[in-house]
């Protein structure tokens, strides 16, 4: 029995859902697969917040388990039911996505059906967008609004003790409507944990030739989170927040060095929404990677008006491909 169960849901039949893309709203490609799971060979990433949440749970002493159902090609729903029955969690932590909304919510309802006392915390931008429906229909107890990497663990502790007045950074259903509870300890940076819980991942599943043409093992890393821009087409500010927060360059370098040494990672996908938004920070990250001589390739996203030839040269020397 565990206090918290973190589950990355499988893709439904007929789709491969990429759950962290589009600011956490998710994207999808059609698949001939008739069963739950996720087709091998697609460049996918785990929902990175889970790795912070897991480490935070560990740091404050809350027993948990993590299951990545999207790392496998086939999942039978009876297996999903057995997980809930075997683990008997107090709280389920998971994410739903727009392309698989109804199927995802059906799985959450299925978990609650298997364990009527189960509390549910939903993370990610899709849950925020549909929070009125989700909370009013009793599909979840808590929908996270902010600082989920830090505050999910605090909210698990509150739900375990039935101390609802201790919830924070989230929305709940109260007196026939939505009550949004501000964060008393908002996340100020990404340095509150030493190392995200990468050991939970089966990195043999996370290998691809999508970038670079050669199949390599890859991992995702954040050096910043947030985007202050207001581009009308983009869900990043809604999904990741408008406020910029940072992981220190030294920790970024240490993270990548451990990923290479302990897990054989050869490529990093930086998940920063605008990697070069702070020139001083990105230079420090690049200089740290050069100093450590990691010889690892990486890719990132940014804006054309936030790069110049000098910065591109430094990024290339640091491994940007």
């Amino acid at each position: 029995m565990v206090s918290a169960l973190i589950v990355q849901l499988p893709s439904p039949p007929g789709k491969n859902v990429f759950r962290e893309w589009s600011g956490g709203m998710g994207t999808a490609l059609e698949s001939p697969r008739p069963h739950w799971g996720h087709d091998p060979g697609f460049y996918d990433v785990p929902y990175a917040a889970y790795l912070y949440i897991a480490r935070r749970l560990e740091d404050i002493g809350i027993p948990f388990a993590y299951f990545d159902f999207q790392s496998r090609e086939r999942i039978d729903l009876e297996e999903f039911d057995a997980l809930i029955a075997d683990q008997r969690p107090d709280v389920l932590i998971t994410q739903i996505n727009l392309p698989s909304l109804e199927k995802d919510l059906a799985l959450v309802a299925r978990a609650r059906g298997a364990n009527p006392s189960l509390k549910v915390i939903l993370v990610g931008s899709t849950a925020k967008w549909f929070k009125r429906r989700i909370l009013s229909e009793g599909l979840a107890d808590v929908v996270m609004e902010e600082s989920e990497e830090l505050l999910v663990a605090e909210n698990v502790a509150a739900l375990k003790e039935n101390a609802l007045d201790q919830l924070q950074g989230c929305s709940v259903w109260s007196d026939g409507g939505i009550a949004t509870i501000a964060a008393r300890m908002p996340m100020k940076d990404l340095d509150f944990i030493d190392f995200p819980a990468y050991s939970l991942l089966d990195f043999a599943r996370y290998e691809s030739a999508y970038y670079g043409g050669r199949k390599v093992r890859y991992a995702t890393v954040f050096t910043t989170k947030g985007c202050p821009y207001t581009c009308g087409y983009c869900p990043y500010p809604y999904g990741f927040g408008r406020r910029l927060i940072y992981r220190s360059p030294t920790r970024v370098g240490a993270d990548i060095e451990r990923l290479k040494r302990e897990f054989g990672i050869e490529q990093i996908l930086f998940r920063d929404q605008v990697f070069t938004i702070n020139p001083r920070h990105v230079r420090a990250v690049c200089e740290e990677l050069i100093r450590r001589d990691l010889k690892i390739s990486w890719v990132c996203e940014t804006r054309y008006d936030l790069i110049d030839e000098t910065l591109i040269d430094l990024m290339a020397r640091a491994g940007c491909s």
Side-chain angles (χ1 to χ4, degrees):
M1 179 176 178
V2 295
S3 296
L5 180 63
I6 306 171
V7 174
Q8 177 149 264
L9 298 176
S11 293
K15 287 184 180 179
N16 289 306
V17 181
F18 307 100
R19 295 191 176 275
E20 196 175 77
W21 303 124
S22 292
M25 287 291 187
T27 61
L29 294 173
E30 290 185 0
S31 166
R33 191 189 66 255
H35 46 76
W36 296 81
H38 196 84
D39 294 346
F42 282 85
Y43 197 92
D44 195 15
V45 296
Y47 187 60
Y50 290 151
L51 307 182
Y52 281 81
I53 292 167
R55 181 66 72 220
R56 179 66 179 159
L57 287 167
E58 183 179 67
D59 287 348
I60 65 177
I62 296 178
F64 74 93
Y66 172 78
F67 284 82
D68 183 1
F69 280 132
Q70 208 152 304
S71 68
R72 293 165 53 189
E73 185 176 2
R74 183 186 181 107
I75 298 294
D76 296 319
L77 291 187
E78 292 75 14
E79 188 176 354
F80 181 82
D81 297 342
L83 172 66
I84 303 298
D86 293 344
Q87 296 292 328
R88 292 183 294 153
D90 297 310
V91 182
L92 172 67
I93 302 161
T94 194
Q95 175 196 22
I96 60 172
N97 291 95
L98 194 57
S100 51
L101 179 64
E102 300 304 330
K103 297 291 188 181
D104 291 346
L105 290 176
L107 283 181
V108 174
R110 190 179 181 105
R112 300 199 83 154
N115 180 1
S117 65
L118 180 68
K119 303 294 185 182
V120 176
I121 297 177
L122 291 184
V123 299
S125 53
T126 306
K128 283 196 297 182
W129 191 264
F130 290 98
K131 63 187 174 186
R132 174 166 292 277
R133 172 190 170 186
I134 289 166
L135 294 171
S136 66
E137 294 181 7
L139 293 167
D141 300 277
V142 171
V143 171
M144 293 303 300
E145 295 278 357
E146 59 173 308
S147 302
E148 60 191 19
E149 293 93 337
L150 174 65
L151 296 181
V152 164
E154 309 297 324
N155 289 343
V156 168
L159 289 175
K160 272 179 55 64
E161 300 300 324
N162 202 31
L164 302 185
D165 60 326
Q166 295 300 308
L167 293 171
Q168 54 176 313
C170 63
S171 289
V172 299
W173 192 254
S174 177
D175 297 326
I178 292 174
T180 298
I181 307 164
R184 294 183 300 278
M185 45 181 285
M187 190 164 59
K188 296 179 180 179
D189 56 46
L190 292 170
D191 285 351
F192 63 90
I193 60 170
D194 175 45
F195 185 63
Y198 289 107
S199 60
L200 298 175
L201 302 181
D202 176 10
F203 278 110
R205 167 65 181 83
Y206 295 103
E207 296 178 342
S208 177
Y210 188 82
Y211 294 104
R214 181 175 67 88
K215 188 175 183 180
V216 296
R217 185 167 295 190
Y218 63 89
T220 57
V221 171
F222 280 85
T223 84
T224 63
K225 182 181 179 184
C227 178
Y229 291 98
T230 57
C231 307
Y233 62 86
C234 184
Y236 276 173
Y238 183 78
F240 294 108
R242 295 189 184 278
R243 180 172 59 93
L244 275 171
I245 57 176
Y246 296 88
R247 189 156 173 85
S248 66
T250 301
R251 286 193 182 273
V252 171
D255 290 348
I256 295 173
E257 187 167 344
R258 284 187 65 176
L259 283 166
K260 181 176 181 179
R261 182 179 69 248
E262 297 178 18
F263 305 104
I265 299 302
E266 296 184 66
Q267 185 183 80
I268 297 297
L269 173 61
F270 282 118
R271 291 294 292 128
D272 303 44
Q273 288 74 69
V274 192
F275 184 73
T276 63
I277 194 167
N278 183 330
R280 184 170 62 179
H281 179 75
V282 73
R283 287 192 196 102
V285 168
C286 290
E287 288 165 0
E288 183 70 16
L289 297 180
I290 292 169
R291 183 186 71 80
R292 291 175 183 264
D293 193 26
L294 297 178
K295 294 182 174 60
I296 198 163
S297 70
W298 50 270
V299 297
C300 66
E301 295 179 71
T302 193
R303 289 168 55 109
Y304 183 70
D305 58 351
L306 294 176
I307 53 175
D308 58 33
E309 188 173 351
T310 301
L311 185 57
I312 289 174
D313 179 67
L314 177 64
M315 290 165 62
R317 288 191 287 117
C320 181
S321 59

